[in-house]
Amino acid sequence: MLDAFALGVLAERRSLIDALADRYSAAISLQGWIADSTRLWRITTGYGGLGTSGSGDVLAGAIAGLLARGAEPVQAACWGTHLHAVSGDRLISEVGPLGYLARELADCLPRALAELER
């Protein structure tokens, strides 16, 4: 169960992502929350180990790659965020909860994408 502080942080994050999506008419991915101007999703997988240098670049590359394959922006944001989180989860068992590198995260993406496409 979340305490009042944690609930406040979640509410603030949700409010921010909604405002950004509305203001820019864009698909937004922000720390597991994805939104466009009318919808909001939450990716519930992923781990704190994703807070490593270059991890956001890997996420941006995953989303851009999905866009290049023809996905709609919000679909690419949802899938890319999910793939990024799943890749982080897999590295926990291989490397540990902290200390993996962005390149290791990127190396996990193709297998996660292949599983998503099944």
Side-chain angles (χ1 to χ4, degrees):
M1 177 156 215
L2 297 174
D3 63 19
F5 177 77
L7 289 172
V9 169
L10 288 174
E12 184 177 313
R13 191 171 292 154
R14 181 176 178 170
S15 177
L16 175 63
I17 196 169
D18 282 340
L20 285 169
D22 286 341
R23 180 173 182 174
Y24 295 105
S25 297
I28 306 291
S29 176
L30 175 68
Q31 296 181 332
W33 292 93
I34 300 97
D36 64 10
S37 60
T38 61
R39 298 167 291 184
L40 178 73
W41 295 268
R42 175 82 172 124
I43 302 296
T44 58
T45 190
Y47 189 75
L50 292 172
T52 188
S53 180
S55 177
D57 297 326
V58 173
L59 172 58
I63 293 170
L66 291 164
L67 286 167
R69 293 174 60 130
E72 294 296 319
V74 74
Q75 183 182 42
C78 285
W79 286 357
T81 303
H82 172 74
L83 293 170
H84 184 252
V86 165
S87 296
D89 285 346
R90 288 190 176 151
L91 284 172
I92 291 169
S93 63
E94 295 173 21
V95 179
L98 299 172
Y100 51 83
L101 304 173
R103 72 169 178 262
E104 294 169 319
L105 191 58
D107 289 343
C108 291
L109 289 173
R111 186 177 66 206
L113 179 60
E115 291 170 4
L116 182 65
E117 289 180 326
R118 287 186 206 159

XYZ file of all heavy atoms in Angstrom:
866
model
N 0.840 -1.172 0.000
C 0.000 0.000 0.000
C 0.891 1.244 0.000
O 1.868 1.318 0.728
C -0.898 -0.037 1.214
C -1.780 1.163 1.362
S -3.203 0.718 2.344
C -4.408 1.686 1.564
N 0.526 2.223 -0.811
C 1.304 3.442 -0.922
C 0.926 4.429 0.169
O -0.240 4.565 0.519
C 1.079 4.088 -2.293
C 1.531 3.266 -3.493
C 1.126 3.959 -4.774
C 3.021 3.018 -3.463
N 1.932 5.132 0.676
C 1.641 6.158 1.669
C 1.197 7.443 0.967
O 1.198 7.533 -0.263
C 2.847 6.393 2.582
C 4.079 6.910 1.845
O 3.958 7.423 0.720
O 5.173 6.800 2.413
N 0.826 8.436 1.742
C 0.293 9.690 1.185
C 1.310 10.385 0.291
O 0.958 10.937 -0.752
C -0.145 10.608 2.319
N 2.581 10.356 0.672
C 3.611 10.998 -0.146
C 3.703 10.334 -1.518
O 3.720 11.002 -2.547
C 4.969 10.958 0.557
C 6.073 11.539 -0.281
C 6.210 12.911 -0.408
C 6.962 10.707 -0.946
C 7.222 13.455 -1.190
C 7.971 11.239 -1.728
C 8.107 12.612 -1.850
N 3.776 8.990 -1.536
C 3.882 8.255 -2.793
C 2.656 8.500 -3.675
O 2.781 8.671 -4.885
C 4.065 6.767 -2.525
N 1.496 8.515 -3.087
C 0.276 8.797 -3.859
C 0.321 10.201 -4.441
O -0.101 10.429 -5.580
C -0.958 8.613 -2.986
C -1.299 7.171 -2.624
C -2.433 7.130 -1.598
C -1.665 6.373 -3.865
N 0.840 11.144 -3.682
C 0.974 12.518 -4.174
C 1.937 12.613 -5.349
O 1.678 13.318 -6.322
N 3.049 11.882 -5.265
C 4.022 11.867 -6.362
C 3.388 11.276 -7.617
O 3.531 11.815 -8.717
C 5.296 11.091 -5.966
C 6.191 10.831 -7.170
C 6.055 11.850 -4.883
N 2.669 10.167 -7.469
C 2.004 9.548 -8.619
C 0.969 10.481 -9.239
O 0.872 10.594 -10.462
C 1.350 8.224 -8.216
C 2.300 7.071 -7.938
C 1.536 5.862 -7.418
C 3.088 6.707 -9.178
N 0.200 11.153 -8.413
C -0.814 12.086 -8.911
C -0.144 13.248 -9.654
O -0.623 13.673 -10.715
C -1.671 12.607 -7.762
N 0.969 13.743 -9.105
C 1.680 14.843 -9.751
C 2.258 14.410 -11.100
O 2.166 15.127 -12.093
C 2.801 15.335 -8.837
C 3.526 16.541 -9.372
C 4.573 17.044 -8.396
O 4.254 17.165 -7.194
O 5.699 17.294 -8.837
N 2.835 13.218 -11.141
C 3.401 12.697 -12.392
C 2.311 12.515 -13.439
O 2.476 12.867 -14.600
C 4.104 11.370 -12.115
C 4.929 10.891 -13.273
C 5.770 9.710 -12.906
N 6.796 10.120 -11.959
C 7.360 9.310 -11.083
N 7.013 8.052 -11.014
N 8.285 9.747 -10.261
N 1.179 11.977 -13.015
C 0.071 11.777 -13.949
C -0.441 13.116 -14.472
O -0.704 13.279 -15.660
C -1.060 11.009 -13.271
C -2.204 10.763 -14.208
C -3.278 9.931 -13.598
N -4.344 9.789 -14.573
C -5.347 8.986 -14.441
N -5.439 8.219 -13.386
N -6.274 8.916 -15.368
N -0.556 14.088 -13.617
C -1.003 15.415 -14.017
C -0.027 16.033 -15.021
O -0.428 16.628 -16.020
C -1.145 16.307 -12.784
O -1.498 17.603 -13.149
N 1.270 15.883 -14.764
C 2.287 16.429 -15.653
C 2.233 15.792 -17.032
O 2.254 16.479 -18.050
C 3.676 16.235 -15.040
C 4.854 16.649 -15.908
C 4.812 18.140 -16.210
C 6.163 16.282 -15.227
N 2.156 14.474 -17.080
C 2.146 13.804 -18.381
C 0.880 14.134 -19.162
O 0.913 14.326 -20.365
C 2.379 12.287 -18.245
C 2.758 11.704 -19.609
C 1.210 11.569 -17.650
C 3.271 10.294 -19.560
N -0.256 14.235 -18.483
C -1.496 14.653 -19.150
C -1.343 16.052 -19.742
O -1.742 16.307 -20.880
C -2.677 14.633 -18.177
C -3.228 13.244 -17.920
O -2.974 12.338 -18.740
O -3.912 13.069 -16.891
N -0.773 16.969 -18.974
C -0.599 18.354 -19.432
C 0.348 18.414 -20.637
O 0.081 19.137 -21.602
C -0.080 19.227 -18.299
N 1.433 17.660 -20.602
C 2.373 17.653 -21.726
C 1.731 17.090 -22.994
O 1.895 17.645 -24.079
C 3.614 16.830 -21.369
C 4.606 17.467 -20.418
C 5.629 16.438 -19.951
C 5.284 18.658 -21.062
N 1.024 15.986 -22.852
C 0.370 15.373 -24.011
C -0.657 16.320 -24.622
O -0.735 16.456 -25.846
C -0.295 14.058 -23.607
N -1.438 16.998 -23.784
C -2.422 17.958 -24.284
C -1.750 19.154 -24.944
O -2.133 19.576 -26.034
C -3.321 18.453 -23.148
C -4.338 17.413 -22.707
O -4.606 16.476 -23.480
O -4.849 17.550 -21.584
N -0.748 19.706 -24.275
C -0.109 20.925 -24.774
C 0.553 20.713 -26.130
O 0.488 21.558 -27.008
C 0.920 21.415 -23.775
C 1.617 22.677 -24.226
C 2.496 23.249 -23.166
N 3.083 24.485 -23.648
C 3.804 25.273 -22.904
N 4.005 24.996 -21.642
N 4.320 26.368 -23.415
N 1.221 19.577 -26.306
C 1.981 19.346 -27.528
C 1.305 18.393 -28.507
O 1.875 18.086 -29.558
C 3.385 18.838 -27.173
C 4.179 19.877 -26.426
C 4.391 19.765 -25.058
C 4.676 21.000 -27.080
C 5.103 20.731 -24.362
C 5.387 21.973 -26.399
C 5.594 21.838 -25.043
O 6.293 22.799 -24.359
N 0.104 17.919 -28.178
C -0.599 16.948 -29.036
C 0.352 15.830 -29.444
O 0.512 15.523 -30.624
C -1.188 17.638 -30.263
O -2.142 18.582 -29.887
N 0.988 15.244 -28.453
C 2.031 14.258 -28.704
C 1.837 13.041 -27.819
O 1.103 13.080 -26.839
C 3.394 14.887 -28.408
N 2.518 11.974 -28.190
C 2.612 10.803 -27.326
C 3.791 11.044 -26.393
O 4.877 11.412 -26.830
C 2.830 9.544 -28.150
N 3.577 10.851 -25.100
C 4.586 11.128 -24.084
C 4.870 9.842 -23.306
O 3.942 9.130 -22.923
C 4.073 12.197 -23.087
C 3.593 13.460 -23.791
C 5.113 12.487 -22.017
C 4.669 14.287 -24.429
N 6.142 9.559 -23.065
C 6.546 8.462 -22.194
C 7.374 9.079 -21.080
O 8.389 9.721 -21.338
C 7.368 7.427 -22.966
O 7.822 6.410 -22.095
N 6.913 8.888 -19.838
C 7.592 9.481 -18.689
C 7.576 8.501 -17.528
O 6.530 8.282 -16.912
C 6.913 10.791 -18.277
C 7.440 11.475 -17.028
C 8.845 12.013 -17.259
C 6.511 12.612 -16.628
N 8.705 7.865 -17.287
C 8.882 6.963 -16.151
C 7.737 5.960 -15.990
O 7.152 5.813 -14.925
C 9.084 7.761 -14.878
C 10.356 8.582 -14.916
C 10.586 9.372 -13.656
O 9.656 9.746 -12.970
N 11.844 9.623 -13.361
N 7.434 5.269 -17.080
C 6.421 4.223 -17.035
C 5.011 4.673 -17.337
O 4.107 3.853 -17.454
N 4.792 5.965 -17.453
C 3.482 6.494 -17.848
C 3.559 6.874 -19.313
O 4.523 7.482 -19.751
C 3.118 7.737 -17.042
C 2.858 7.494 -15.602
C 3.756 7.580 -14.586
C 1.613 7.124 -15.006
N 3.144 7.285 -13.390
C 1.838 7.008 -13.625
C 0.343 6.892 -15.510
C 0.820 6.655 -12.737
C -0.656 6.540 -14.636
C -0.419 6.427 -13.261
N 2.540 6.527 -20.076
C 2.456 6.883 -21.486
C 1.106 7.542 -21.698
O 0.088 7.066 -21.190
C 2.587 5.652 -22.412
C 3.935 4.960 -22.196
C 2.468 6.065 -23.865
C 3.866 3.822 -21.277
N 1.093 8.640 -22.442
C -0.171 9.343 -22.679
C -0.160 9.968 -24.056
O 0.888 10.298 -24.612
C -0.385 10.428 -21.623
N -1.354 10.122 -24.600
C -1.568 11.025 -25.717
C -2.615 12.018 -25.229
O -2.881 12.089 -24.032
C -1.952 10.282 -27.003
C -3.267 9.534 -26.937
O -4.026 9.713 -25.957
O -3.552 8.771 -27.866
N -3.202 12.778 -26.109
C -4.117 13.827 -25.651
C -5.432 13.297 -25.078
O -6.166 14.043 -24.440
C -4.401 14.817 -26.779
O -4.983 14.141 -27.868
N -5.714 12.001 -25.254
C -6.989 11.468 -24.753
C -6.872 10.242 -23.859
O -7.828 9.885 -23.187
C -7.925 11.098 -25.925
O -7.292 10.081 -26.716
C -8.255 12.300 -26.782
N -5.711 9.567 -23.861
C -5.586 8.305 -23.126
C -4.315 8.287 -22.291
O -3.352 8.987 -22.587
C -5.560 7.137 -24.107
C -6.841 7.039 -24.917
C -6.673 6.094 -26.064
N -5.752 6.709 -27.039
C -5.441 6.184 -28.205
N -5.931 5.035 -28.554
N -4.616 6.794 -29.025
N -4.335 7.428 -21.260
C -3.195 7.292 -20.365
C -2.983 5.819 -20.050
O -3.946 5.099 -19.786
C -3.458 8.061 -19.064
C -2.395 7.999 -17.984
C -1.180 8.826 -18.385
C -2.956 8.514 -16.669
N -1.742 5.365 -20.108
C -1.389 3.994 -19.768
C -0.284 4.008 -18.733
O 0.480 4.961 -18.636
C -0.858 3.233 -20.987
C -1.843 3.045 -22.066
C -2.681 1.985 -22.249
C -2.100 3.944 -23.153
N -3.441 2.175 -23.377
C -3.099 3.372 -23.948
C -1.585 5.183 -23.522
C -3.589 3.974 -25.092
C -2.069 5.799 -24.647
C -3.066 5.189 -25.423
N -0.159 2.892 -18.006
C 0.907 2.720 -17.020
C 1.592 1.397 -17.283
O 0.942 0.350 -17.344
C 0.318 2.726 -15.605
C 1.311 2.431 -14.507
C 2.098 3.670 -14.146
N 2.903 3.397 -12.966
C 4.214 3.561 -12.930
N 4.852 4.011 -13.979
N 4.879 3.317 -11.836
N 2.894 1.419 -17.479
C 3.688 0.210 -17.612
C 4.083 -0.198 -16.195
O 4.734 0.574 -15.488
C 4.944 0.438 -18.481
C 4.565 0.932 -19.880
C 5.792 -0.827 -18.541
C 3.759 -0.023 -20.715
N 3.677 -1.377 -15.773
C 3.873 -1.772 -14.374
C 5.098 -2.653 -14.162
O 5.381 -3.052 -13.045
C 2.624 -2.496 -13.843
O 2.361 -3.641 -14.668
C 1.423 -1.578 -13.840
N 5.818 -2.960 -15.222
C 7.053 -3.707 -15.082
C 8.213 -2.712 -15.080
O 8.008 -1.518 -15.197
C 7.184 -4.764 -16.207
O 8.264 -5.626 -15.920
C 7.335 -4.134 -17.556
N 9.401 -3.193 -14.961
C 10.556 -2.295 -14.919
C 11.107 -2.211 -13.520
O 10.468 -2.616 -12.550
N 12.294 -1.696 -13.396
C 12.966 -1.703 -12.112
C 13.874 -0.485 -12.013
O 14.257 0.100 -13.015
C 13.775 -3.000 -11.968
C 14.334 -3.205 -10.598
C 13.515 -3.589 -9.553
C 15.670 -2.974 -10.344
C 14.019 -3.767 -8.282
C 16.186 -3.145 -9.080
C 15.349 -3.542 -8.048
O 15.850 -3.706 -6.794
N 14.244 -0.145 -10.804
C 15.094 1.009 -10.548
C 16.437 0.965 -11.245
O 17.087 1.988 -11.419
N 16.881 -0.217 -11.642
C 18.142 -0.333 -12.359
C 18.137 0.394 -13.685
O 19.185 0.632 -14.279
N 16.948 0.761 -14.175
C 16.854 1.509 -15.426
C 17.382 2.935 -15.270
O 17.618 3.611 -16.260
C 15.406 1.544 -15.931
C 14.848 0.202 -16.393
C 13.356 0.315 -16.681
C 15.595 -0.300 -17.601
N 17.574 3.372 -14.049
C 18.093 4.714 -13.805
C 19.597 4.753 -13.957
O 20.320 5.084 -13.026
N 20.089 4.391 -15.133
C 21.518 4.387 -15.406
C 21.805 5.262 -16.617
O 20.929 5.468 -17.457
C 22.024 2.940 -15.628
O 23.440 2.943 -15.704
C 21.459 2.323 -16.878
N 23.000 5.768 -16.693
C 23.389 6.642 -17.790
C 23.164 5.950 -19.134
O 23.617 4.826 -19.345
C 24.860 7.006 -17.635
O 25.275 7.845 -18.674
N 22.441 6.595 -20.020
C 22.183 6.061 -21.348
C 20.896 5.265 -21.465
O 20.447 4.965 -22.575
N 20.271 4.942 -20.343
C 19.039 4.153 -20.382
C 17.931 4.890 -21.140
O 17.204 4.286 -21.924
C 18.588 3.821 -18.959
O 17.373 3.122 -18.974
N 17.815 6.177 -20.905
C 16.799 6.962 -21.624
C 17.070 7.015 -23.112
O 16.138 7.057 -23.917
N 18.343 7.019 -23.491
C 18.696 6.988 -24.909
C 18.262 5.671 -25.545
O 17.803 5.642 -26.689
C 20.202 7.174 -25.091
C 20.685 8.527 -24.610
O 19.931 9.512 -24.732
O 21.821 8.593 -24.095
N 18.413 4.578 -24.799
C 17.968 3.269 -25.290
C 16.450 3.286 -25.469
O 15.933 2.809 -26.486
C 18.412 2.132 -24.342
C 17.796 0.799 -24.756
C 19.929 2.033 -24.299
N 15.740 3.850 -24.512
C 14.284 3.960 -24.622
C 13.893 4.781 -25.844
O 13.031 4.373 -26.632
C 13.692 4.581 -23.350
C 12.209 4.930 -23.398
C 11.351 3.709 -23.702
C 11.792 5.583 -22.091
N 14.524 5.935 -26.018
C 14.219 6.783 -27.182
C 14.506 6.051 -28.485
O 13.729 6.142 -29.446
C 15.020 8.080 -27.110
N 15.605 5.305 -28.522
C 15.935 4.535 -29.723
C 14.931 3.434 -29.998
O 14.586 3.167 -31.152
N 14.452 2.781 -28.937
C 13.439 1.733 -29.107
C 12.159 2.329 -29.689
O 11.565 1.770 -30.623
C 13.154 1.041 -27.782
N 11.749 3.459 -29.159
C 10.531 4.117 -29.659
C 10.732 4.566 -31.104
O 9.870 4.338 -31.960
C 10.126 5.290 -28.745
C 9.695 4.749 -27.371
C 9.013 6.119 -29.381
C 9.495 5.818 -26.311
N 11.881 5.167 -31.404
C 12.156 5.614 -32.778
C 12.194 4.433 -33.749
O 11.689 4.526 -34.876
C 13.476 6.381 -32.821
N 12.774 3.329 -33.317
C 12.815 2.143 -34.170
C 11.426 1.613 -34.482
O 11.140 1.201 -35.608
N 10.555 1.622 -33.490
C 9.174 1.168 -33.710
C 8.430 2.130 -34.630
O 7.635 1.703 -35.478
C 8.454 1.005 -32.373
C 8.973 -0.164 -31.536
C 8.515 -0.045 -30.089
C 8.538 -1.494 -32.136
N 8.689 3.422 -34.485
C 8.096 4.406 -35.406
C 8.562 4.145 -36.835
O 7.767 4.195 -37.778
C 8.464 5.828 -34.990
C 7.766 6.381 -33.765
C 8.453 7.665 -33.291
C 6.286 6.637 -34.048
N 9.848 3.846 -36.992
C 10.405 3.563 -38.317
C 9.788 2.315 -38.944
O 9.713 2.205 -40.164
C 11.919 3.412 -38.230
N 9.324 1.406 -38.100
C 8.662 0.185 -38.589
C 7.194 0.415 -38.905
O 6.495 -0.497 -39.308
C 8.793 -0.925 -37.556
C 10.212 -1.407 -37.369
C 10.296 -2.388 -36.232
N 9.451 -3.550 -36.475
C 9.838 -4.801 -36.364
N 11.072 -5.064 -36.011
N 9.011 -5.790 -36.581
N 6.697 1.646 -38.670
C 5.331 1.982 -39.043
C 4.335 2.070 -37.910
O 3.141 2.271 -38.148
N 4.785 1.939 -36.676
C 3.858 2.048 -35.539
C 3.385 3.490 -35.386
O 4.124 4.429 -35.688
C 4.542 1.588 -34.252
N 2.163 3.649 -34.929
C 1.659 4.980 -34.587
C 2.428 5.486 -33.366
O 2.909 4.685 -32.557
C 0.158 4.910 -34.278
C -0.700 4.551 -35.473
C -0.639 5.609 -36.566
O -0.644 6.815 -36.234
O -0.562 5.222 -37.745
N 2.546 6.797 -33.192
C 3.356 7.333 -32.084
C 2.998 6.789 -30.700
O 3.892 6.385 -29.948
C 3.128 8.840 -32.173
C 2.889 9.078 -33.631
C 2.092 7.872 -34.085
N 1.732 6.752 -30.357
C 1.387 6.278 -29.015
C 1.619 4.774 -28.886
O 2.023 4.284 -27.835
C -0.042 6.694 -28.610
C -1.099 5.879 -29.324
C -0.213 6.628 -27.102
N 1.414 4.040 -29.958
C 1.693 2.604 -29.947
C 3.196 2.378 -29.780
O 3.623 1.525 -28.995
C 1.195 1.974 -31.249
C 1.371 0.481 -31.326
C 0.897 -0.073 -32.649
O 1.151 0.517 -33.706
N 0.207 -1.193 -32.606
N 4.012 3.130 -30.488
C 5.466 3.018 -30.364
C 5.917 3.373 -28.949
O 6.802 2.716 -28.390
C 6.155 3.912 -31.390
N 5.313 4.395 -28.363
C 5.671 4.796 -26.996
C 5.313 3.684 -25.999
O 6.109 3.367 -25.108
C 4.992 6.100 -26.620
N 4.130 3.100 -26.144
C 3.721 2.007 -25.240
C 4.614 0.789 -25.413
O 5.132 0.244 -24.435
C 2.265 1.627 -25.480
S 1.069 2.789 -24.832
N 4.804 0.349 -26.644
C 5.617 -0.841 -26.888
C 7.067 -0.587 -26.495
O 7.698 -1.442 -25.882
C 5.542 -1.253 -28.342
C 4.257 -1.890 -28.761
C 3.190 -2.193 -27.973
C 3.919 -2.301 -30.078
N 2.198 -2.767 -28.730
C 2.618 -2.841 -30.022
C 4.568 -2.250 -31.290
C 1.975 -3.346 -31.138
C 3.932 -2.744 -32.413
C 2.648 -3.295 -32.336
N 7.613 0.557 -26.892
C 9.005 0.862 -26.566
C 9.241 0.920 -25.068
O 10.243 0.392 -24.569
N 8.325 1.535 -24.336
C 8.454 1.618 -22.881
C 8.357 0.234 -22.257
O 9.113 -0.107 -21.347
C 7.394 2.570 -22.303
O 7.543 3.856 -22.934
C 7.535 2.729 -20.811
N 7.439 -0.586 -22.767
C 7.313 -1.955 -22.268
C 8.583 -2.760 -22.552
O 9.104 -3.443 -21.658
C 6.098 -2.634 -22.899
C 6.006 -4.095 -22.575
N 5.616 -4.556 -21.341
C 6.293 -5.187 -23.328
C 5.650 -5.877 -21.347
N 6.063 -6.276 -22.538
N 9.088 -2.692 -23.774
C 10.299 -3.438 -24.133
C 11.490 -3.011 -23.278
O 12.291 -3.831 -22.840
C 10.622 -3.240 -25.616
C 9.634 -3.848 -26.605
C 9.946 -3.369 -28.013
C 9.632 -5.356 -26.518
N 11.596 -1.721 -23.047
C 12.666 -1.160 -22.213
C 12.570 -1.720 -20.795
O 13.571 -2.173 -20.220
C 12.512 0.365 -22.236
C 13.558 1.126 -21.520
N 13.303 1.754 -20.323
C 14.842 1.402 -21.832
C 14.393 2.392 -19.927
N 15.344 2.186 -20.823
N 11.369 -1.724 -20.242
C 11.161 -2.218 -18.881
C 11.423 -3.718 -18.780
O 12.075 -4.186 -17.840
C 9.749 -1.895 -18.416
N 10.926 -4.485 -19.739
C 11.151 -5.936 -19.753
C 12.644 -6.235 -19.856
O 13.158 -7.128 -19.169
C 10.374 -6.601 -20.912
C 10.857 -8.012 -21.186
C 8.885 -6.596 -20.620
N 13.348 -5.491 -20.681
C 14.797 -5.691 -20.813
C 15.501 -5.416 -19.489
O 16.409 -6.152 -19.091
C 15.353 -4.788 -21.918
O 14.811 -5.160 -23.168
N 15.068 -4.380 -18.785
C 15.624 -4.099 -17.458
C 15.343 -5.227 -16.478
O 16.216 -5.625 -15.703
N 14.129 -5.751 -16.522
C 13.777 -6.869 -15.639
C 14.667 -8.086 -15.902
O 15.099 -8.777 -14.974
C 12.316 -7.270 -15.830
C 11.340 -6.294 -15.200
O 11.770 -5.451 -14.393
O 10.148 -6.377 -15.533
N 14.929 -8.364 -17.162
C 15.759 -9.527 -17.505
C 17.187 -9.361 -16.999
O 17.819 -10.325 -16.595
C 15.754 -9.733 -19.007
C 14.428 -10.251 -19.467
C 14.465 -10.681 -20.878
N 13.155 -11.242 -21.178
C 12.614 -11.233 -22.365
N 13.279 -10.737 -23.380
N 11.436 -11.751 -22.560
N 17.684 -8.139 -17.046
C 19.056 -7.914 -16.600
C 19.220 -8.102 -15.090
O 20.322 -8.381 -14.622
C 19.519 -6.521 -17.017
C 19.872 -6.409 -18.501
C 20.125 -4.963 -18.881
C 21.074 -7.270 -18.843
N 18.130 -7.966 -14.352
C 18.208 -8.183 -12.912
C 18.721 -9.594 -12.621
O 19.599 -9.782 -11.788
C 16.836 -7.967 -12.245
C 16.459 -6.503 -12.310
C 16.849 -8.452 -10.800
C 15.025 -6.243 -11.918
N 18.182 -10.581 -13.337
C 18.593 -11.964 -13.070
C 19.992 -12.263 -13.610
O 20.676 -13.144 -13.108
C 17.582 -12.952 -13.659
O 17.542 -12.830 -15.059
N 20.424 -11.520 -14.626
C 21.735 -11.776 -15.224
C 22.861 -11.005 -14.535
O 23.960 -11.518 -14.377
C 21.714 -11.406 -16.705
C 20.779 -12.263 -17.537
C 20.657 -11.758 -18.956
O 21.550 -11.026 -19.426
O 19.641 -12.094 -19.602
N 22.591 -9.756 -14.156
C 23.638 -8.863 -13.660
C 23.409 -8.464 -12.207
O 24.345 -8.285 -11.451
C 23.719 -7.587 -14.540
C 24.776 -6.630 -14.036
C 23.972 -7.960 -15.989
N 22.152 -8.325 -11.836
C 21.801 -7.837 -10.511
C 20.935 -6.599 -10.650
O 20.765 -6.070 -11.742
N 20.382 -6.128 -9.543
C 19.421 -5.031 -9.613
C 20.019 -3.680 -9.985
O 19.297 -2.790 -10.417
C 18.820 -4.987 -8.213
C 19.850 -5.612 -7.335
C 20.551 -6.631 -8.184
N 21.300 -3.533 -9.835
C 21.967 -2.265 -10.172
C 23.272 -2.562 -10.883
O 23.860 -3.620 -10.708
C 22.258 -1.456 -8.904
C 21.051 -1.053 -8.075
C 21.513 -0.425 -6.766
C 20.176 -0.078 -8.839
N 23.705 -1.632 -11.680
C 25.035 -1.738 -12.248
C 25.113 -2.206 -13.682
O 26.204 -2.313 -14.225
N 24.004 -2.485 -14.316
C 24.121 -2.851 -15.715
C 24.240 -1.604 -16.578
O 23.917 -0.501 -16.161
C 23.020 -3.797 -16.190
C 21.595 -3.393 -15.888
C 20.921 -2.509 -16.700
C 20.916 -3.945 -14.808
C 19.610 -2.166 -16.444
C 19.610 -3.615 -14.544
C 18.960 -2.721 -15.369
O 17.656 -2.389 -15.110
N 24.728 -1.807 -17.778
C 25.021 -0.704 -18.681
C 23.931 -0.559 -19.736
O 23.222 -1.514 -20.053
C 26.366 -0.946 -19.369
C 27.552 -1.167 -18.441
C 28.786 -1.563 -19.247
C 27.818 0.075 -17.604
N 23.853 0.620 -20.306
C 22.858 0.879 -21.346
C 23.035 -0.067 -22.523
O 22.052 -0.541 -23.095
C 22.936 2.332 -21.798
N 24.267 -0.363 -22.890
C 24.476 -1.272 -24.036
C 23.939 -2.669 -23.739
O 23.484 -3.368 -24.629
C 25.933 -1.304 -24.457
C 26.848 -2.025 -23.523
C 28.243 -2.235 -24.145
N 29.088 -2.889 -23.184
C 29.952 -2.285 -22.405
N 30.121 -0.985 -22.501
N 30.678 -2.978 -21.549
N 24.002 -3.091 -22.468
C 23.438 -4.384 -22.097
C 21.916 -4.347 -22.211
O 21.289 -5.319 -22.625
C 23.855 -4.754 -20.673
C 25.342 -4.989 -20.541
C 25.808 -5.082 -19.110
O 25.348 -4.300 -18.260
O 26.648 -5.954 -18.852
N 21.335 -3.219 -21.864
C 19.896 -3.027 -21.992
C 19.493 -3.098 -23.469
O 18.534 -3.790 -23.837
C 19.528 -1.667 -21.394
C 18.100 -1.306 -21.169
C 17.399 -2.296 -20.259
C 18.009 0.101 -20.587
N 20.252 -2.414 -24.314
C 19.964 -2.420 -25.755
C 20.083 -3.824 -26.341
O 19.306 -4.205 -27.231
C 20.898 -1.457 -26.482
N 21.035 -4.606 -25.836
C 21.218 -5.973 -26.338
C 20.014 -6.868 -26.040
O 19.793 -7.859 -26.731
C 22.472 -6.606 -25.736
C 23.760 -6.002 -26.282
O 23.716 -5.335 -27.339
O 24.814 -6.191 -25.635
N 19.231 -6.540 -25.020
C 18.053 -7.343 -24.654
C 16.826 -7.015 -25.520
O 15.879 -7.802 -25.569
C 17.686 -7.101 -23.189
S 18.861 -7.758 -22.013
N 16.822 -5.866 -26.161
C 15.627 -5.417 -26.884
C 15.188 -6.339 -28.025
O 13.987 -6.612 -28.153
C 15.814 -3.993 -27.401
C 15.820 -2.897 -26.347
C 16.191 -1.561 -26.978
C 14.487 -2.802 -25.639
N 16.090 -6.836 -28.883
C 15.612 -7.671 -29.999
C 14.848 -8.911 -29.550
O 13.814 -9.252 -30.138
C 16.906 -8.051 -30.735
C 17.849 -6.938 -30.418
C 17.521 -6.552 -28.992
N 15.322 -9.583 -28.505
C 14.620 -10.774 -28.017
C 13.241 -10.401 -27.449
O 12.244 -11.065 -27.714
C 15.457 -11.481 -26.948
C 14.845 -12.795 -26.497
C 15.716 -13.511 -25.493
N 15.770 -12.720 -24.267
C 16.765 -12.757 -23.396
N 17.798 -13.508 -23.598
N 16.713 -12.029 -22.310
N 13.185 -9.309 -26.710
C 11.897 -8.861 -26.149
C 10.936 -8.470 -27.269
O 9.737 -8.769 -27.206
C 12.126 -7.683 -25.195
N 11.451 -7.829 -28.323
C 10.605 -7.453 -29.463
C 10.087 -8.693 -30.179
O 8.909 -8.757 -30.536
C 11.358 -6.551 -30.428
C 10.596 -6.103 -31.663
C 9.348 -5.325 -31.298
C 11.504 -5.274 -32.569
N 10.937 -9.683 -30.359
C 10.508 -10.921 -31.025
C 9.379 -11.591 -30.246
O 8.417 -12.103 -30.835
C 11.684 -11.874 -31.185
N 9.463 -11.558 -28.925
C 8.407 -12.139 -28.101
C 7.127 -11.322 -28.183
O 6.023 -11.881 -28.172
C 8.876 -12.258 -26.652
C 9.958 -13.295 -26.494
C 10.608 -13.267 -25.115
O 10.166 -12.486 -24.245
O 11.571 -14.028 -24.919
N 7.244 -10.009 -28.277
C 6.078 -9.145 -28.395
C 5.346 -9.376 -29.720
O 4.127 -9.340 -29.777
C 6.492 -7.672 -28.287
C 5.384 -6.633 -28.336
C 4.472 -6.771 -27.132
C 5.976 -5.239 -28.402
N 6.090 -9.659 -30.768
C 5.494 -9.833 -32.093
C 4.791 -11.175 -32.264
O 4.058 -11.366 -33.216
C 6.578 -9.692 -33.163
C 7.071 -8.262 -33.300
C 8.149 -8.103 -34.345
O 8.960 -9.024 -34.533
O 8.183 -7.039 -34.960
N 4.998 -12.115 -31.341
C 4.343 -13.424 -31.462
C 2.867 -13.342 -31.297
O 2.210 -12.701 -30.681
C 4.899 -14.401 -30.446
C 6.257 -14.861 -30.804
C 6.711 -15.937 -29.844
N 8.152 -15.913 -29.820
C 8.878 -16.396 -28.846
N 8.320 -16.948 -27.832
N 10.168 -16.354 -28.903
